[in-house]
Amino acid sequence: AKALATRGALQSDPKKALADLNEAIKLLPENTEAIRARAEYYLENDQTEQGLKDLEKALELEPDHARTHEFRATALAILKRYEEARKSLDKAIELQPRSITAYIQRGRVLLLLEKPEDAAADFTKVIAAQPIPQILLLRAAAYQMQKKNEKALEDVDAALKLNPEMPEALRARAMLLAGTGNITGAIGDLEQLKKIETKDADVLLQL
């Protein structure tokens, strides 16, 4: 059963992968590794409800498996069951307080729940450990929801220092600058964005 689960997880053919995982679970119904792998397969193939059922089963067998709580939250968020997703992530963080992915995921869910202060707090924990440009932009979004545009601009600037050609950051800064009346700065960012997008298009044409 364990060999089948491993082979299923590594299969490049989706149908064969699912067949191996089904067989592994049939041989050993309490094989949480295979159940989680099948849940991941379902989530990747837009079969969220089935994936969630497998994750619930895995948690019945291993209730303190932090990563499974994270996967469950992913499934719940896809289904727009955000409050349940948040609770699942609360549990994941309780079990694994240093899980950066859980804090990122909970921060995203909190934004969807329109709780920007709590979301910003989660993103701050991530940034303290690792200043990732995308997370700086997420915290900037949380600050914007709180009307803290100066702080939002600081985060966008920090993201652009780490990645000067990040289109999302240039677009976000242009909007923030325009909101403060700095039209010249906003136009400058949009012109830079246009250059980057033109360059990317040229690269695609050369492929």
Side-chain angles (χ1 to χ4, degrees), residues 36-198:
R36 275 192 294 271
R38 188 172 69 178
E40 190 170 357
Y41 167 88
Y42 284 139
L43 292 182
E44 289 174 354
N45 288 276
D46 299 320
Q47 298 176 62
T48 309
E49 292 280 5
Q50 287 173 278
L52 182 58
K53 286 179 183 177
D54 271 353
L55 292 166
E56 299 283 9
K57 178 63 177 176
L59 285 171
E60 285 177 19
L61 297 166
E62 283 186 324
D64 290 338
H65 194 279
R67 190 65 179 145
T68 306
H69 284 284
E70 286 191 51
F71 276 133
R72 179 175 180 268
T74 298
L76 290 166
I78 291 170
L79 296 169
K80 298 184 179 180
R81 291 161 59 179
Y82 301 128
E83 187 57 42
E84 291 174 78
R86 182 192 64 77
K87 289 177 181 177
S88 203
L89 289 163
D90 288 348
K91 184 63 177 178
I93 290 168
E94 177 189 325
L95 293 167
Q96 187 57 265
R98 294 185 180 180
S99 174
I100 286 178
T101 56
Y103 280 111
I104 292 172
Q105 198 173 348
R106 190 173 69 177
R108 289 178 183 273
V109 168
L110 287 166
L111 284 180
L112 292 166
L113 287 169
E114 297 185 1
K115 296 182 178 180
E117 288 186 24
D118 293 336
D122 274 354
F123 295 140
T124 296
K125 289 184 176 72
V126 177
I127 292 163
Q130 190 176 355
I132 305 167
Q134 289 82 355
I135 309 308
L136 284 161
L137 287 189
L138 285 170
R139 190 172 68 176
Y143 285 145
Q144 278 185 278
M145 288 175 71
Q146 299 174 72
K147 309 296 183 186
K148 296 179 179 179
N149 289 341
E150 286 186 12
K151 283 192 170 186
L153 188 56
E154 287 175 9
D155 273 355
V156 175
D157 284 339
L160 283 166
K161 283 181 182 177
L162 293 168
N163 184 355
E165 295 191 349
M166 187 178 186
E168 310 96 287
L170 286 167
R171 197 173 289 111
R173 189 167 68 180
M175 291 178 65
L176 284 164
L177 290 173
T180 64
N182 187 348
I183 305 302
T184 302
I187 290 172
D189 278 344
L190 291 174
E191 287 177 346
Q192 188 179 349
L193 179 62
K194 185 178 179 181
K195 287 178 185 176
I196 292 166
E197 290 177 341
T198 302

